[in-house]
Amino acid sequence: MRIDLISLFPEFVAQCAGFGVVGRARERGLLSVHGWNPRDYAGGNYRRVDDRPFGGGPGMVMMIDPLRDAIRAARAADPAPARVTYLSPQGRPLTQAIVRELAARPRLILLCGRYEGVDERLVEAEVDEELSIGDYVLSGGELAAAVVVDAVARLQDGALNDAGSAAQDSFEADGLLDCPHYTRPVEHELGTVPEVLLSGNHAEIARWRRRQSLLRTRRRRPDLLAAADLSPEERAWLAAQPEDGEGTRDR
Ligand code: 9WO
């Protein structure tokens, strides 16, 4: 997959994509990340990319032409057509289902705004979809773009060392939260590893993990539970469990 970033700080996102699973995906040639800085396409002695908002008010708005020329340069760098995705709080909320859809495309062009935003005419003419990573305001779209890059990179074939690990993600599998994890030592002053995990009985372990996921999802994210892919047996089992089935900590 090829990802083009339109950003005043493209190296910021590229840096985020330099470590761990994403960095390895790039080393393995599964992913390339290219930055396009509107500043490089801005005219005049001052290379202006922003100007004051019509109608008044605080802050600045990103001008059309430097952004449009940067987007055109990114498009022209590869013959494959690409949609332009704008990261903004006004976008469609990002989900793992959308991540899967993005990860299957050959190319992404991610547009990162700064200041108070981008001239709406540029959005109308060039942007194909708007995505939000959550209901909060950042100082720019770059961190949101880095989130998208990370989430799609790990789904590229061969990015994860264990082929099953992406499929085992609870969101991937069925829209449930993940179960708890434990490693050595078995006995610790903070507690003991649940016995079932030491039993070697893989069917029992799978059932325990699944039930932990169900309890956790009900306690922490009942909204997800409503949409999750549960069997009638699982729904019945869960209904029979007390509501405080996941310990007493309030989280
Ligand atoms: C700035 C601002 C100032 C006063 C009142 C409201 C305001 N909204 C914004 C604003 O949305 N600024 C954005 C900064 C302009 C586009 C890029 N920026 C951005 C993207 N901030 N947060 C995001 C973002 C992107 C994706 N998901 C969550 C947040």
Side-chain angles (χ1 to χ4, degrees), residues 33-229:
V33 179
H34 309 264
W36 304 89
N37 193 333
R39 185 90 54 196
D40 296 335
Y41 300 87
N45 285 338
Y46 301 98
R47 302 217 153 261
R48 279 191 81 151
V49 294
D50 62 314
D51 208 336
R52 288 151 54 206
F54 281 119
M60 303 294 268
V61 175
M62 291 184 82
M63 300 168 75
I64 294 174
D65 281 323
L67 282 173
R68 190 162 65 149
D69 290 348
I71 292 168
R72 284 178 172 168
R75 283 194 193 285
D78 191 290
R83 285 196 257 180
V84 174
T85 305
Y86 179 42
L87 287 313
S88 96
Q90 285 76 46
R92 185 161 62 119
L94 186 66
T95 62
Q96 190 64 24
I98 296 173
V99 168
R100 270 197 295 273
E101 191 224 299
L102 297 174
R105 298 182 192 172
R107 281 191 78 176
L108 299 177
I109 298 180
L110 303 179
L111 173 60
C112 304
R114 280 268 151 183
Y115 314 115
E116 266 36 75
V118 167
D119 190 304
E120 190 63 21
R121 295 167 292 180
L122 184 280
V123 178
E124 285 168 4
E126 296 284 352
V127 170
D128 300 295
E129 61 193 352
E130 212 164 319
L131 288 180
S132 165
I133 63 160
D135 292 337
Y136 36 78
V137 181
L138 304 168
S139 54
E142 283 79 6
L143 271 174
V147 165
V148 171
V149 171
D150 188 287
V152 303
R154 59 187 293 286
L155 294 187
Q156 301 302 302
D157 271 344
L160 299 176
N161 285 325
D162 179 352
S165 23
Q168 272 174 26
D169 287 353
S170 45
F171 275 131
E172 281 298 322
D174 38 40
L176 294 178
L177 299 184
D178 207 0
C179 63
H181 303 282
Y182 299 87
T183 188
R184 294 194 305 164
V186 172
E187 307 275 0
H188 188 280
E189 70 176 280
L190 297 186
T192 304
V193 175
E195 212 174 314
V196 58
L197 297 178
L198 311 173
S199 69
N201 184 334
H202 297 296
E204 272 294 311
I205 291 169
R207 192 167 62 142
W208 180 84
R209 286 180 168 160
R210 178 79 181 175
R211 289 179 167 183
Q212 291 294 312
S213 284
L214 291 168
L215 291 170
R216 254 190 183 183
T217 307
R218 181 177 65 180
R219 179 169 176 78
R220 302 185 191 187
R221 294 292 306 275
D223 57 313
L224 292 179
L225 195 59
D229 185 16

